[in-house]
Every structure is written in structure tokens, then in C-alpha cells.
């Protein structure tokens, strides 16, 4: 199945929301952080059928547009249960790091932790792996040739670990797991440009040096 | 109840102070400034304090609370200015959650 991945950079932290669509117009959204109206417009302009909203983790800058998208398209929301508490605290982080305009906190429809390592959503096959360290319930998702790595792995960077739930040793262990993925797999991180597994872990790269 | 809540806030402050050896300790007095103004704590310290306090409330009173939510952010004057206003706010939330 050939996939088209659209990267939508949004919000104060220039977070990456990804829209994944196949040739038949079926679609998924990963990490809709904010600017819901523009994400809705992208879905509608392309006549996509949205099957699910999946999140790599529950920091507020990744979940701010979930509720409006659920309301508009009726798609279920997938999140690892390890981040439920963090999800409830989304407005704490938003108040401190962005503004006092609250976001609506979504209900979780599917706990990723309860799903098998590979599960189906509509015509999509999605593999997930637990990658705690940036947050307790952080996950990476593999869909086709794409790795949606959230803030676990980004181009030339790994996530911060100084917020509650963060653990540097755990994060480094999680990042190491990603080294075994195919080199040409496209890394779609939570912030910054896309890359490949090979580029991120090649000898001398920034991520490679962090792992030494 | 007021004293019990203040004790939980102080226990949370102890936890945060213990975690941040290099930072200025948060004083355990009702007048201690938290958010707003130049004498408040930094964002990271405040996050840690709120998380520690929610856990203290869960452990001490068996109640699960979310201190910063849509309701608290909608308040004209936010309740996180000082240790004392935080304790008052916690008391209100807990009273609201109790069954009639």
C-alpha cells in the first residue's frame, strides 16, 4: 500500500502533526497538536476518511487538536495508558509554557498498551513499541515505511527528560531500540524535519554520539 | 481541614525542595509567592510542585484531583499566586468532589 504523509507544523513549539493517507482516501492522524481548523481543512480538501487519531505521547503541544478532530470526524483516539495522568495535566503545562487559554482534554478510546505489537485500523497496519523516557507512556509507531517517533527521536535530537515522567537512562534505552529498524525508514519526529534511521544513527551523527 | 490541606502542601514542598538541591528552596509559609511577579518559582518547579501535591492528595486523602484544568484556567484571578491561595483552592476542589 503506498502512503502519502503530510507534515503539518503547528503551534508555538512548531510541533509536527502528521496526516497519513493511502490511495483510496483512507487516513490517520498522528499527534495533532494545535490549529485544528487547518488540520480539518486538510482532511476535507483531500476528501480523506479519517479512521483514527494516534498519539506518540500526551504532552499538551501534541494533543491540543484531538478533541476538535474527534468532534468533527468521530475518529477514535489512541494513546498509551502510561500517559493518562500526563494527559489530565495537559493544561498545567499549557498554562506554564504557552498561555492561559485552556485546551480540551480528550477521552482515550483505545489504550495502545492493551493492543498487540501490530494492530489494524481500517486498511492500515500499525506497529508500536514502548519508548518511555521522554514520558512514561511514550510510544513509537511504524506505519508502512514511516516511523512516527514523537519526541523520543527527532532529527539530530532526542527528547527532553527534565519534566515529570522524564528519565534520561530510559530514553537512551528507548532510542537504542530504534537502531534496529531498517536504515531507509523515514523518521517523522515530533519537531523538526524528517530524516531516516540510517542518517540519525550513522557514526558521528549527533544522536549516535549521545548514545556512546 | 484547612490545616490538613496546608500540611499536604508543605509535604509537597518538602518533596520538591529535596529534588532541587541547587535551586532556592520554597519557603513553607502561606505568603510564599508561587506564580506571577518576579519572586515566584520557575515553571519547572511549579510543575513538580503541582504533580507532588496531586500525589500527596491521592495518598493522604484518597482523592484523585487535577489542580490545573479548564475550570481553574477560566478563573479571573488564578489560585496559584501563593502557597496560601493554592491551599485554599485545594480545599475548595476537595469539598466540591465530596458526595453530598
Amino acid at each position: 500500500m503506498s502512503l502519502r504523509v503530510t507534515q503539518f507544523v503547528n503551534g508555538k513549539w512548531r510541533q509536527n502533526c502528521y496526516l497519513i493517507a493511502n490511495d483510496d482516501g483512507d487516513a490517520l492522524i498522528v499527534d495533532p497538536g494545535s490549529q485544528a481548523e487547518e488540520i480539518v481543512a486538510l482532511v476535507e480538501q483531500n476528501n480523506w476518511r479519517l479512521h483514527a487519531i494516534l498519539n506518540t505521547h500526551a504532552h499538551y503541544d501534541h494533543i491540543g487538536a484531538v478533541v476538535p478532530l474527534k468532534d468533527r470526524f468521530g475518529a477514535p483516539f489512541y494513546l498509551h495508558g502510561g500517559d493518562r495522568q500526563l494527559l489530565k495535566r495537559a493544561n498545567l503545562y499549557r498554562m506554564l509554557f504557552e498561555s492561559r487559554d485552556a485546551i480540551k482534554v480528550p477521552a482515550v478510546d483505545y489504550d495502545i498498551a492493551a493492543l498487540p505489537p501490530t494492530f489494524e485500523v481500517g486498511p492500515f497496519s500499525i506497529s508500536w513499541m514502548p519508548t518511555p523516557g521522554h514520558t512514561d507512556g511514550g510510544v513509537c509507531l511504524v506505519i508502512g515505511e514511516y516511523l512516527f517517533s514523537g519526541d523520543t527521536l527527532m532529527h539530530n535530537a532526542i527528547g527532553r527528560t527534565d519534566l515529570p515522567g522524564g528519565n534520561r537512562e530510559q530514553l537512551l534505552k528507548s532510542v537504542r531500540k530504534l537502531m534496529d529498524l531498517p536504515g531507509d525508514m523515514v523518521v517523522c519526529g515530533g519537531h523538526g524535519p524528517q530524516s531516516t534511521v540510517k542518517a540519525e544513527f550513522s557514526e558521528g551523527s549527533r544522536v549516535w554520539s549521545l548514545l556512546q | 481541614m484547612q490545616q490538613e490541606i496546608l500540611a499536604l502542601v508543605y509535604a509537597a514542598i518538602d518533596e520538591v525542595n529535596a529534588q532541587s538541591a541547587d535551586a532556592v528552596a520554597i519557603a513553607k509559609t502561606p505568603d510564599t509567592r508561587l506564580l506571577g511577579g518576579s519572586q515566584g518559582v520557575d515553571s519547572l518547579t511549579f510543575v513538580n510542585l503541582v504533580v507532588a501535591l496531586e500525589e500527596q492528595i491521592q495518598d493522604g486523602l484518597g482523592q484523585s484531583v487535577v489542580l490545573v484544568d479548564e475550570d481553574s484556567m477560566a478563573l479571573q484571578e488564578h489560585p496559584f499566586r501563593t502557597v496560601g491561595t493554592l491551599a485554599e483552592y485545594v480545599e475548595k476542589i476537595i469539598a466540591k468532589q465530596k458526595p453530598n
Side-chain angles (χ1 to χ4, degrees), chain A residues 85 88-97 99-105 160 162-164, chain B residues 35 43-44 46-48 50-51 54-55 64 66 68-70 72-73 75-78 80:
Chain A
Q85 200 60 29
K88 288 185 195 168
R89 292 181 179 134
N91 280 306
L92 164 63
Y93 291 87
R94 180 161 167 93
M95 178 181 80
L96 292 169
F97 298 113
S99 85
R100 283 191 66 192
D101 299 326
I103 51 174
K104 287 188 176 171
V105 176
R160 64 189 287 180
D162 57 339
L163 294 170
Chain B
L35 286 191
S43 299
L44 204 50
F46 186 77
V47 168
N48 285 322
V50 170
V51 171
E54 287 176 350
E55 286 168 2
S64 171
V66 176
V68 183
D69 60 8
E70 289 174 60
S72 65
M73 287 170 80
L75 294 172
Q76 202 70 346
E77 204 165 334
H78 75 67
F80 311 111

mmCIF file of all heavy atoms in Angstrom, chain A residues 85 88-97 99-105 160 162-164, chain B residues 35 43-44 46-48 50-51 54-55 64 66 68-70 72-73 75-78 80:
data_model
loop_
_atom_site.group_PDB
_atom_site.id
_atom_site.type_symbol
_atom_site.label_atom_id
_atom_site.label_comp_id
_atom_site.label_asym_id
_atom_site.label_seq_id
_atom_site.Cartn_x
_atom_site.Cartn_y
_atom_site.Cartn_z
ATOM 1 N N GLN A 85 -2.203 10.052 33.071
ATOM 2 C CA GLN A 85 -2.077 11.099 34.092
ATOM 3 C C GLN A 85 -1.525 12.388 33.470
ATOM 4 O O GLN A 85 -1.975 13.488 33.781
ATOM 5 C CB GLN A 85 -1.158 10.598 35.221
ATOM 6 C CG GLN A 85 -1.315 11.338 36.522
ATOM 7 C CD GLN A 85 -2.717 11.252 37.115
ATOM 8 O OE1 GLN A 85 -3.428 10.277 36.910
ATOM 9 N NE2 GLN A 85 -3.132 12.296 37.817
ATOM 10 N N LYS A 88 -4.207 14.247 31.650
ATOM 11 C CA LYS A 88 -5.058 15.052 32.540
ATOM 12 C C LYS A 88 -4.385 16.367 32.909
ATOM 13 O O LYS A 88 -5.045 17.348 33.219
ATOM 14 C CB LYS A 88 -5.354 14.263 33.820
ATOM 15 C CG LYS A 88 -6.310 13.118 33.658
ATOM 16 C CD LYS A 88 -6.600 12.526 35.028
ATOM 17 C CE LYS A 88 -7.242 11.165 34.933
ATOM 18 N NZ LYS A 88 -7.249 10.484 36.238
ATOM 19 N N ARG A 89 -3.053 16.350 32.918
ATOM 20 C CA ARG A 89 -2.311 17.555 33.326
ATOM 21 C C ARG A 89 -1.958 18.461 32.151
ATOM 22 O O ARG A 89 -1.137 19.375 32.295
ATOM 23 C CB ARG A 89 -1.030 17.158 34.050
ATOM 24 C CG ARG A 89 -1.286 16.502 35.386
ATOM 25 C CD ARG A 89 0.018 16.133 36.089
ATOM 26 N NE ARG A 89 -0.266 15.527 37.381
ATOM 27 C CZ ARG A 89 0.310 14.412 37.849
ATOM 28 N NH1 ARG A 89 1.209 13.785 37.123
ATOM 29 N NH2 ARG A 89 -0.005 13.941 39.033
ATOM 30 N N ALA A 90 -2.551 18.220 30.998
ATOM 31 C CA ALA A 90 -2.180 18.980 29.802
ATOM 32 C C ALA A 90 -2.267 20.490 30.032
ATOM 33 O O ALA A 90 -1.400 21.257 29.592
ATOM 34 C CB ALA A 90 -3.065 18.575 28.633
ATOM 35 N N ASN A 91 -3.288 20.912 30.746
ATOM 36 C CA ASN A 91 -3.459 22.362 30.933
ATOM 37 C C ASN A 91 -2.470 22.956 31.932
ATOM 38 O O ASN A 91 -2.221 24.160 31.901
ATOM 39 C CB ASN A 91 -4.900 22.686 31.312
ATOM 40 C CG ASN A 91 -5.777 22.695 30.074
ATOM 41 O OD1 ASN A 91 -5.479 23.387 29.102
ATOM 42 N ND2 ASN A 91 -6.843 21.901 30.090
ATOM 43 N N LEU A 92 -1.924 22.138 32.805
ATOM 44 C CA LEU A 92 -0.861 22.621 33.698
ATOM 45 C C LEU A 92 0.336 23.068 32.856
ATOM 46 O O LEU A 92 0.863 24.171 33.022
ATOM 47 C CB LEU A 92 -0.457 21.498 34.664
ATOM 48 C CG LEU A 92 0.867 21.662 35.423
ATOM 49 C CD1 LEU A 92 0.826 22.873 36.345
ATOM 50 C CD2 LEU A 92 1.172 20.402 36.238
ATOM 51 N N TYR A 93 0.735 22.202 31.933
ATOM 52 C CA TYR A 93 1.881 22.522 31.081
ATOM 53 C C TYR A 93 1.551 23.688 30.142
ATOM 54 O O TYR A 93 2.381 24.565 29.915
ATOM 55 C CB TYR A 93 2.287 21.290 30.264
ATOM 56 C CG TYR A 93 2.887 20.197 31.115
ATOM 57 C CD1 TYR A 93 2.087 19.251 31.738
ATOM 58 C CD2 TYR A 93 4.255 20.122 31.324
ATOM 59 C CE1 TYR A 93 2.619 18.257 32.537
ATOM 60 C CE2 TYR A 93 4.801 19.138 32.114
ATOM 61 C CZ TYR A 93 3.977 18.204 32.722
ATOM 62 O OH TYR A 93 4.514 17.232 33.523
ATOM 63 N N ARG A 94 0.323 23.667 29.629
ATOM 64 C CA ARG A 94 -0.052 24.743 28.699
ATOM 65 C C ARG A 94 -0.020 26.106 29.407
ATOM 66 O O ARG A 94 0.480 27.081 28.868
ATOM 67 C CB ARG A 94 -1.436 24.483 28.119
ATOM 68 C CG ARG A 94 -1.851 25.578 27.150
ATOM 69 C CD ARG A 94 -2.958 25.140 26.257
ATOM 70 N NE ARG A 94 -3.544 26.258 25.555
ATOM 71 C CZ ARG A 94 -3.182 26.669 24.349
ATOM 72 N NH1 ARG A 94 -2.216 26.058 23.715
ATOM 73 N NH2 ARG A 94 -3.768 27.693 23.779
ATOM 74 N N MET A 95 -0.546 26.128 30.625
ATOM 75 C CA MET A 95 -0.580 27.395 31.361
ATOM 76 C C MET A 95 0.839 27.932 31.594
ATOM 77 O O MET A 95 1.090 29.125 31.470
ATOM 78 C CB MET A 95 -1.274 27.177 32.708
ATOM 79 C CG MET A 95 -1.329 28.423 33.575
ATOM 80 S SD MET A 95 -2.127 28.116 35.158
ATOM 81 C CE MET A 95 -0.792 27.353 36.081
ATOM 82 N N LEU A 96 1.752 27.032 31.892
ATOM 83 C CA LEU A 96 3.105 27.478 32.226
ATOM 84 C C LEU A 96 3.954 27.784 31.003
ATOM 85 O O LEU A 96 4.779 28.683 31.018
ATOM 86 C CB LEU A 96 3.803 26.417 33.071
ATOM 87 C CG LEU A 96 3.205 26.265 34.470
ATOM 88 C CD1 LEU A 96 3.758 25.037 35.143
ATOM 89 C CD2 LEU A 96 3.484 27.499 35.312
ATOM 90 N N PHE A 97 3.761 27.001 29.940
ATOM 91 C CA PHE A 97 4.679 27.116 28.807
ATOM 92 C C PHE A 97 4.087 27.819 27.592
ATOM 93 O O PHE A 97 4.791 28.069 26.627
ATOM 94 C CB PHE A 97 5.192 25.733 28.397
ATOM 95 C CG PHE A 97 5.982 25.055 29.483
ATOM 96 C CD1 PHE A 97 5.509 23.922 30.116
ATOM 97 C CD2 PHE A 97 7.201 25.574 29.907
ATOM 98 C CE1 PHE A 97 6.228 23.308 31.133
ATOM 99 C CE2 PHE A 97 7.928 24.972 30.917
ATOM 100 C CZ PHE A 97 7.448 23.841 31.538
ATOM 101 N N SER A 99 0.053 29.511 27.270
ATOM 102 C CA SER A 99 -0.940 30.557 27.527
ATOM 103 C C SER A 99 -1.998 30.047 28.489
ATOM 104 O O SER A 99 -2.055 28.858 28.794
ATOM 105 C CB SER A 99 -1.623 30.971 26.222
ATOM 106 O OG SER A 99 -2.695 30.107 25.936
ATOM 107 N N ARG A 100 -2.845 30.973 28.920
ATOM 108 C CA ARG A 100 -3.908 30.584 29.839
ATOM 109 C C ARG A 100 -5.198 30.232 29.110
ATOM 110 O O ARG A 100 -6.246 30.135 29.731
ATOM 111 C CB ARG A 100 -4.143 31.685 30.872
ATOM 112 C CG ARG A 100 -3.075 31.682 31.953
ATOM 113 C CD ARG A 100 -3.448 32.586 33.094
ATOM 114 N NE ARG A 100 -4.634 32.110 33.813
ATOM 115 C CZ ARG A 100 -5.303 32.822 34.689
ATOM 116 N NH1 ARG A 100 -4.931 34.058 34.953
ATOM 117 N NH2 ARG A 100 -6.354 32.326 35.308
ATOM 118 N N ASP A 101 -5.123 30.039 27.804
ATOM 119 C CA ASP A 101 -6.289 29.550 27.076
ATOM 120 C C ASP A 101 -6.277 28.026 27.171
ATOM 121 O O ASP A 101 -5.399 27.379 26.607
ATOM 122 C CB ASP A 101 -6.227 29.953 25.593
ATOM 123 C CG ASP A 101 -6.221 31.457 25.453
ATOM 124 O OD1 ASP A 101 -6.876 32.124 26.272
ATOM 125 O OD2 ASP A 101 -5.532 31.964 24.544
ATOM 126 N N ALA A 102 -7.245 27.495 27.869
ATOM 127 C CA ALA A 102 -7.239 26.040 28.118
ATOM 128 C C ALA A 102 -7.510 25.257 26.836
ATOM 129 O O ALA A 102 -8.178 25.742 25.925
ATOM 130 C CB ALA A 102 -8.289 25.711 29.160
ATOM 131 N N ILE A 103 -6.959 24.043 26.808
ATOM 132 C CA ILE A 103 -7.331 23.118 25.730
ATOM 133 C C ILE A 103 -8.277 22.071 26.317
ATOM 134 O O ILE A 103 -8.254 21.815 27.526
ATOM 135 C CB ILE A 103 -6.109 22.411 25.097
ATOM 136 C CG1 ILE A 103 -5.217 21.778 26.168
ATOM 137 C CG2 ILE A 103 -5.328 23.361 24.237
ATOM 138 C CD1 ILE A 103 -4.093 20.948 25.592
ATOM 139 N N LYS A 104 -9.103 21.482 25.459
ATOM 140 C CA LYS A 104 -9.997 20.426 25.922
ATOM 141 C C LYS A 104 -9.211 19.120 25.961
ATOM 142 O O LYS A 104 -8.538 18.772 24.987
ATOM 143 C CB LYS A 104 -11.201 20.305 25.003
ATOM 144 C CG LYS A 104 -12.156 21.460 25.174
ATOM 145 C CD LYS A 104 -13.438 21.237 24.419
ATOM 146 C CE LYS A 104 -14.386 22.398 24.715
ATOM 147 N NZ LYS A 104 -15.565 22.375 23.853
ATOM 148 N N VAL A 105 -9.302 18.425 27.081
ATOM 149 C CA VAL A 105 -8.552 17.180 27.242
ATOM 150 C C VAL A 105 -9.418 16.017 26.740
ATOM 151 O O VAL A 105 -10.536 15.829 27.214
ATOM 152 C CB VAL A 105 -8.168 16.976 28.722
ATOM 153 C CG1 VAL A 105 -7.477 15.637 28.921
ATOM 154 C CG2 VAL A 105 -7.262 18.129 29.186
ATOM 155 N N ARG A 160 13.526 15.935 25.683
ATOM 156 C CA ARG A 160 13.956 16.412 26.994
ATOM 157 C C ARG A 160 13.484 15.424 28.063
ATOM 158 O O ARG A 160 12.484 14.720 27.883
ATOM 159 C CB ARG A 160 13.427 17.819 27.268
ATOM 160 C CG ARG A 160 11.925 17.934 27.351
ATOM 161 C CD ARG A 160 11.463 19.385 27.402
ATOM 162 N NE ARG A 160 11.752 20.005 28.687
ATOM 163 C CZ ARG A 160 11.447 21.276 28.981
ATOM 164 N NH1 ARG A 160 10.840 22.039 28.072
ATOM 165 N NH2 ARG A 160 11.738 21.783 30.159
ATOM 166 N N ASP A 162 13.598 16.484 31.556
ATOM 167 C CA ASP A 162 13.572 17.206 32.834
ATOM 168 C C ASP A 162 12.160 17.453 33.368
ATOM 169 O O ASP A 162 11.999 18.005 34.447
ATOM 170 C CB ASP A 162 14.317 18.538 32.697
ATOM 171 C CG ASP A 162 13.753 19.414 31.588
ATOM 172 O OD1 ASP A 162 13.077 18.883 30.688
ATOM 173 O OD2 ASP A 162 13.974 20.634 31.634
ATOM 174 N N LEU A 163 11.143 17.037 32.629
ATOM 175 C CA LEU A 163 9.772 17.203 33.114
ATOM 176 C C LEU A 163 9.355 15.933 33.861
ATOM 177 O O LEU A 163 9.947 14.875 33.644
ATOM 178 C CB LEU A 163 8.832 17.464 31.930
ATOM 179 C CG LEU A 163 9.066 18.787 31.204
ATOM 180 C CD1 LEU A 163 8.271 18.847 29.907
ATOM 181 C CD2 LEU A 163 8.710 19.973 32.096
ATOM 182 N N PRO A 164 8.329 16.037 34.732
ATOM 183 C CA PRO A 164 7.893 14.827 35.442
ATOM 184 C C PRO A 164 7.579 13.695 34.464
ATOM 185 O O PRO A 164 6.945 13.917 33.436
ATOM 186 C CB PRO A 164 6.617 15.302 36.162
ATOM 187 C CG PRO A 164 6.837 16.765 36.380
ATOM 188 C CD PRO A 164 7.574 17.241 35.165
ATOM 189 N N LEU B 35 3.244 31.741 41.614
ATOM 190 C CA LEU B 35 3.201 32.219 40.220
ATOM 191 C C LEU B 35 2.848 33.699 40.157
ATOM 192 O O LEU B 35 2.050 34.187 40.954
ATOM 193 C CB LEU B 35 2.154 31.449 39.419
ATOM 194 C CG LEU B 35 2.477 30.024 39.010
ATOM 195 C CD1 LEU B 35 1.435 29.535 38.012
ATOM 196 C CD2 LEU B 35 3.867 29.891 38.408
ATOM 197 N N SER B 43 8.904 27.767 36.136
ATOM 198 C CA SER B 43 7.862 26.888 35.594
ATOM 199 C C SER B 43 8.083 25.418 35.964
ATOM 200 O O SER B 43 7.152 24.712 36.344
ATOM 201 C CB SER B 43 7.818 27.000 34.065
ATOM 202 O OG SER B 43 7.520 28.305 33.697
ATOM 203 N N LEU B 44 9.329 24.984 35.860
ATOM 204 C CA LEU B 44 9.628 23.584 36.127
ATOM 205 C C LEU B 44 9.358 23.231 37.593
ATOM 206 O O LEU B 44 8.799 22.173 37.909
ATOM 207 C CB LEU B 44 11.095 23.320 35.770
ATOM 208 C CG LEU B 44 11.488 21.906 35.435
ATOM 209 C CD1 LEU B 44 10.549 21.312 34.404
ATOM 210 C CD2 LEU B 44 12.916 21.876 34.930
ATOM 211 N N PHE B 46 7.242 24.740 39.489
ATOM 212 C CA PHE B 46 5.795 24.748 39.702
ATOM 213 C C PHE B 46 5.163 23.442 39.208
ATOM 214 O O PHE B 46 4.291 22.879 39.873
ATOM 215 C CB PHE B 46 5.149 25.959 39.012
ATOM 216 C CG PHE B 46 3.690 26.083 39.331
ATOM 217 C CD1 PHE B 46 3.283 26.580 40.563
ATOM 218 C CD2 PHE B 46 2.731 25.668 38.434
ATOM 219 C CE1 PHE B 46 1.935 26.663 40.886
ATOM 220 C CE2 PHE B 46 1.373 25.748 38.748
ATOM 221 C CZ PHE B 46 0.977 26.256 39.977
ATOM 222 N N VAL B 47 5.605 22.961 38.044
ATOM 223 C CA VAL B 47 5.093 21.671 37.544
ATOM 224 C C VAL B 47 5.353 20.578 38.580
ATOM 225 O O VAL B 47 4.459 19.803 38.939
ATOM 226 C CB VAL B 47 5.765 21.278 36.202
ATOM 227 C CG1 VAL B 47 5.461 19.829 35.844
ATOM 228 C CG2 VAL B 47 5.293 22.176 35.076
ATOM 229 N N ASN B 48 6.583 20.537 39.078
ATOM 230 C CA ASN B 48 6.931 19.498 40.056
ATOM 231 C C ASN B 48 6.099 19.630 41.328
ATOM 232 O O ASN B 48 5.690 18.624 41.922
ATOM 233 C CB ASN B 48 8.425 19.566 40.380
ATOM 234 C CG ASN B 48 9.264 18.997 39.244
ATOM 235 O OD1 ASN B 48 8.888 18.009 38.611
ATOM 236 N ND2 ASN B 48 10.389 19.623 38.949
ATOM 237 N N VAL B 50 3.022 20.921 41.639
ATOM 238 C CA VAL B 50 1.633 20.507 41.385
ATOM 239 C C VAL B 50 1.542 18.979 41.306
ATOM 240 O O VAL B 50 0.646 18.368 41.899
ATOM 241 C CB VAL B 50 1.091 21.166 40.091
ATOM 242 C CG1 VAL B 50 -0.245 20.550 39.687
ATOM 243 C CG2 VAL B 50 0.923 22.665 40.299
ATOM 244 N N VAL B 51 2.483 18.367 40.610
ATOM 245 C CA VAL B 51 2.476 16.899 40.499
ATOM 246 C C VAL B 51 2.642 16.271 41.890
ATOM 247 O O VAL B 51 1.900 15.338 42.264
ATOM 248 C CB VAL B 51 3.586 16.419 39.537
ATOM 249 C CG1 VAL B 51 3.745 14.897 39.584
ATOM 250 C CG2 VAL B 51 3.275 16.869 38.108
ATOM 251 N N GLU B 54 -0.624 16.760 43.894
ATOM 252 C CA GLU B 54 -1.701 15.844 43.459
ATOM 253 C C GLU B 54 -1.457 14.442 44.028
ATOM 254 O O GLU B 54 -2.392 13.756 44.435
ATOM 255 C CB GLU B 54 -1.789 15.804 41.927
ATOM 256 C CG GLU B 54 -2.382 17.078 41.336
ATOM 257 C CD GLU B 54 -2.404 17.110 39.803
ATOM 258 O OE1 GLU B 54 -1.783 16.229 39.171
ATOM 259 O OE2 GLU B 54 -3.023 18.028 39.251
ATOM 260 N N GLU B 55 -0.202 14.040 44.070
ATOM 261 C CA GLU B 55 0.115 12.714 44.620
ATOM 262 C C GLU B 55 -0.100 12.675 46.138
ATOM 263 O O GLU B 55 -0.581 11.688 46.684
ATOM 264 C CB GLU B 55 1.550 12.325 44.252
ATOM 265 C CG GLU B 55 1.646 11.945 42.773
ATOM 266 C CD GLU B 55 3.074 11.811 42.234
ATOM 267 O OE1 GLU B 55 4.036 11.978 43.024
ATOM 268 O OE2 GLU B 55 3.205 11.567 41.025
ATOM 269 N N SER B 64 -8.491 11.641 43.824
ATOM 270 C CA SER B 64 -7.735 11.979 42.618
ATOM 271 C C SER B 64 -8.190 13.352 42.121
ATOM 272 O O SER B 64 -9.367 13.535 41.831
ATOM 273 C CB SER B 64 -8.002 10.896 41.573
ATOM 274 O OG SER B 64 -7.456 11.288 40.345
ATOM 275 N N VAL B 66 -7.217 16.984 39.706
ATOM 276 C CA VAL B 66 -6.395 17.677 38.708
ATOM 277 C C VAL B 66 -6.467 19.156 39.066
ATOM 278 O O VAL B 66 -7.539 19.755 39.012
ATOM 279 C CB VAL B 66 -6.935 17.438 37.278
ATOM 280 C CG1 VAL B 66 -6.130 18.244 36.266
ATOM 281 C CG2 VAL B 66 -6.892 15.965 36.935
ATOM 282 N N VAL B 68 -4.821 21.894 37.797
ATOM 283 C CA VAL B 68 -4.884 22.888 36.722
ATOM 284 C C VAL B 68 -5.696 22.294 35.578
ATOM 285 O O VAL B 68 -5.259 21.352 34.918
ATOM 286 C CB VAL B 68 -3.477 23.285 36.228
ATOM 287 C CG1 VAL B 68 -3.583 24.371 35.162
ATOM 288 C CG2 VAL B 68 -2.615 23.774 37.386
ATOM 289 N N ASP B 69 -6.887 22.800 35.406
ATOM 290 C CA ASP B 69 -7.752 22.309 34.333
ATOM 291 C C ASP B 69 -8.489 23.489 33.704
ATOM 292 O O ASP B 69 -8.194 24.645 34.014
ATOM 293 C CB ASP B 69 -8.726 21.243 34.858
ATOM 294 C CG ASP B 69 -9.624 21.782 35.958
ATOM 295 O OD1 ASP B 69 -9.596 23.001 36.214
ATOM 296 O OD2 ASP B 69 -10.365 20.990 36.560
ATOM 297 N N GLU B 70 -9.440 23.164 32.851
ATOM 298 C CA GLU B 70 -10.171 24.241 32.159
ATOM 299 C C GLU B 70 -10.837 25.184 33.157
ATOM 300 O O GLU B 70 -10.864 26.393 32.949
ATOM 301 C CB GLU B 70 -11.236 23.639 31.236
ATOM 302 C CG GLU B 70 -10.643 22.952 30.030
ATOM 303 C CD GLU B 70 -11.703 22.236 29.220
ATOM 304 O OE1 GLU B 70 -12.632 22.904 28.743
ATOM 305 O OE2 GLU B 70 -11.603 21.012 29.081
ATOM 306 N N SER B 72 -9.963 25.914 36.390
ATOM 307 C CA SER B 72 -9.036 26.800 37.120
ATOM 308 C C SER B 72 -8.448 27.853 36.175
ATOM 309 O O SER B 72 -8.192 28.990 36.573
ATOM 310 C CB SER B 72 -7.924 26.000 37.793
ATOM 311 O OG SER B 72 -7.105 25.371 36.839
ATOM 312 N N MET B 73 -8.249 27.474 34.896
ATOM 313 C CA MET B 73 -7.688 28.454 33.952
ATOM 314 C C MET B 73 -8.704 29.524 33.574
ATOM 315 O O MET B 73 -8.340 30.606 33.131
ATOM 316 C CB MET B 73 -7.151 27.742 32.704
ATOM 317 C CG MET B 73 -5.846 27.001 33.015
ATOM 318 S SD MET B 73 -5.326 25.924 31.692
ATOM 319 C CE MET B 73 -4.556 27.050 30.545
ATOM 320 N N LEU B 75 -10.708 30.909 35.714
ATOM 321 C CA LEU B 75 -10.917 31.844 36.825
ATOM 322 C C LEU B 75 -10.259 33.185 36.516
ATOM 323 O O LEU B 75 -9.148 33.230 35.968
ATOM 324 C CB LEU B 75 -10.325 31.272 38.126
ATOM 325 C CG LEU B 75 -11.000 30.003 38.663
ATOM 326 C CD1 LEU B 75 -10.210 29.426 39.819
ATOM 327 C CD2 LEU B 75 -12.428 30.329 39.096
ATOM 328 N N GLN B 76 -10.955 34.240 36.891
ATOM 329 C CA GLN B 76 -10.451 35.592 36.617
ATOM 330 C C GLN B 76 -9.076 35.794 37.268
ATOM 331 O O GLN B 76 -8.151 36.276 36.640
ATOM 332 C CB GLN B 76 -11.458 36.615 37.169
ATOM 333 C CG GLN B 76 -11.365 37.972 36.535
ATOM 334 C CD GLN B 76 -11.862 37.936 35.075
ATOM 335 O OE1 GLN B 76 -12.024 36.884 34.471
ATOM 336 N NE2 GLN B 76 -12.070 39.095 34.501
ATOM 337 N N GLU B 77 -8.998 35.389 38.519
ATOM 338 C CA GLU B 77 -7.711 35.524 39.218
ATOM 339 C C GLU B 77 -7.257 34.106 39.576
ATOM 340 O O GLU B 77 -7.979 33.393 40.286
ATOM 341 C CB GLU B 77 -7.912 36.332 40.501
ATOM 342 C CG GLU B 77 -6.638 36.987 40.962
ATOM 343 C CD GLU B 77 -6.924 38.061 42.004
ATOM 344 O OE1 GLU B 77 -8.026 38.609 42.000
ATOM 345 O OE2 GLU B 77 -6.050 38.317 42.821
ATOM 346 N N HIS B 78 -6.119 33.684 39.039
ATOM 347 C CA HIS B 78 -5.790 32.271 39.233
ATOM 348 C C HIS B 78 -5.374 31.981 40.674
ATOM 349 O O HIS B 78 -4.862 32.847 41.374
ATOM 350 C CB HIS B 78 -4.779 31.782 38.199
ATOM 351 C CG HIS B 78 -3.382 32.232 38.407
ATOM 352 N ND1 HIS B 78 -2.635 31.826 39.463
ATOM 353 C CD2 HIS B 78 -2.590 33.044 37.675
ATOM 354 C CE1 HIS B 78 -1.439 32.373 39.368
ATOM 355 N NE2 HIS B 78 -1.398 33.121 38.315
ATOM 356 N N PHE B 80 -3.068 30.248 42.010
ATOM 357 C CA PHE B 80 -1.711 29.739 42.250
ATOM 358 C C PHE B 80 -0.716 30.854 42.590
ATOM 359 O O PHE B 80 0.486 30.703 42.386
ATOM 360 C CB PHE B 80 -1.226 28.954 41.014
ATOM 361 C CG PHE B 80 -2.230 27.952 40.529
ATOM 362 C CD1 PHE B 80 -2.889 28.133 39.322
ATOM 363 C CD2 PHE B 80 -2.549 26.851 41.304
ATOM 364 C CE1 PHE B 80 -3.834 27.224 38.889
ATOM 365 C CE2 PHE B 80 -3.499 25.930 40.879
ATOM 366 C CZ PHE B 80 -4.150 26.117 39.674
#
